[in-house]
Amino acid sequence: MNIILLGPPGAGKGTQARHLVETRGMVQLSTGDMLREAQASGSEMGEKVAEVIARGELVTDEIVIGLIREKIAEGAEGGFIFDGFPRTLAQADALTVLLSDMGQSLDAVVEMSVDDAALVARITGRSTCGDCGEVYHDETKPWPADGKCTNCGSTNIKRRADDNEDSLKTRLMEYYKKTSPLIGYYYAKGKLKKVDGLASIGDVQAAIAEILG
Ligand code: AMP
């Protein structure tokens, strides 16, 4: 099964993708994570995209499609979860071609809808464990008082440089201008399924499980 988690920054795509990886053995392909890894490794591409990401703008289609092409070629027995990709119509078309070249297709596109005020609150308080990726939030799920991640015991707390109000405004604008047309695109293809991204993590997990069957 191959699915897309579609939604604005802060909708909970990463959290739900992690759960699907743990429970269904699917492979999460997050272009945001791949780009941050490229930045951390100091590669030429990583340096090229650093400022674009910090501003909250989209990286070129060519770069992200290249990253996804490499990963799809590796295959995934449990199927792929596309998290943060595609973000433009050109990326969506490229994904169709990449999957069909591997004899595969998309099974569902899960749209996670959340209102804008909630997104700002979610993103500005967000942190993650730098070792295992567990997601925390200053108000709803604070980093434990003993300083250790509840999942893996690491003390490596991370906050994304682009999780601030200025970058977030641009990221939201990019989402509405370039990514939200994908909702109509996948609806027309008969792939779109909606879930309420404002529901609790468990309720969203259940709604996605029902869609995936
Ligand atoms: P994310 O972790 O998905 O929120 O992505 C963080 C940032 O990486 C975005 O704000 C973009 O600058 C860049 N990025 C991630 N995925 C894509 C994509 N599919 N297309 C273009 N830029 C992307």
Side-chain angles (χ1 to χ4, degrees):
M1 222 181 194
N2 298 308
I3 66 162
I4 293 174
L5 295 180
L6 181 64
K13 303 185 294 294
T15 300
Q16 293 299 327
R18 279 172 57 76
H19 179 71
L20 292 169
V21 169
E22 282 160 18
T23 55
R24 292 179 180 248
M26 297 177 81
V27 171
Q28 177 186 10
L29 295 187
S30 157
T31 39
D33 285 348
M34 293 175 207
L35 291 165
R36 281 184 288 278
E37 272 163 31
Q39 255 181 281
S41 75
S43 72
E44 198 182 316
M45 185 272 277
E47 282 178 18
K48 202 164 126 189
V49 298
E51 278 188 20
V52 177
I53 294 177
R55 283 198 298 270
E57 292 166 8
L58 292 189
V59 170
T60 63
D61 288 335
E62 195 193 352
I63 289 178
V64 288
I65 291 167
L67 289 170
I68 286 286
R69 180 182 292 119
E70 276 176 33
K71 297 287 181 181
I72 288 184
E74 289 170 16
E77 252 178 52
F80 292 112
I81 309 155
F82 297 96
D83 161 13
F85 179 93
R87 265 174 153 100
T88 63
L89 290 167
Q91 292 177 23
D93 283 336
L95 180 60
T96 306
V97 174
L98 288 172
L99 285 173
S100 86
D101 284 352
M102 299 286 291
Q104 294 195 37
S105 61
L106 267 181
D107 296 282
V109 177
V110 179
E111 182 203 345
M112 303 177 66
S113 55
V114 182
D115 74 64
D116 294 342
L119 293 178
V120 176
R122 276 190 182 186
I123 288 211
T124 48
R126 179 161 78 170
S127 60
T128 51
C129 172
D131 288 345
C132 75
E134 186 75 3
V135 182
Y136 294 89
H137 190 281
D138 294 344
E139 272 145 41
T140 53
K141 188 182 167 192
W143 187 263
D146 66 0
K148 291 186 184 154
C149 171
T150 46
N151 189 47
C152 74
S154 160
T155 54
N156 185 11
I157 181 171
K158 287 226 159 126
R159 283 182 198 273
R160 282 172 48 172
D162 60 345
D163 274 353
N164 61 71
E165 271 191 59
D166 273 351
S167 301
L168 180 58
K169 272 186 205 148
T170 309
R171 286 160 70 196
L172 273 180
M173 191 59 84
E174 291 282 73
Y175 177 78
Y176 287 116
K177 281 198 315 208
K178 299 174 184 165
T179 309
S180 65
L182 297 182
I183 295 170
Y185 173 96
Y186 285 119
Y187 174 79
K189 283 181 171 255
K191 303 278 185 203
L192 195 72
K193 309 280 178 196
K194 284 182 192 258
V195 301
D196 174 11
L198 272 182
S200 70
I201 291 176
D203 285 351
V204 179
Q205 282 169 357
I208 294 176
E210 205 178 312
I211 290 167
L212 303 189

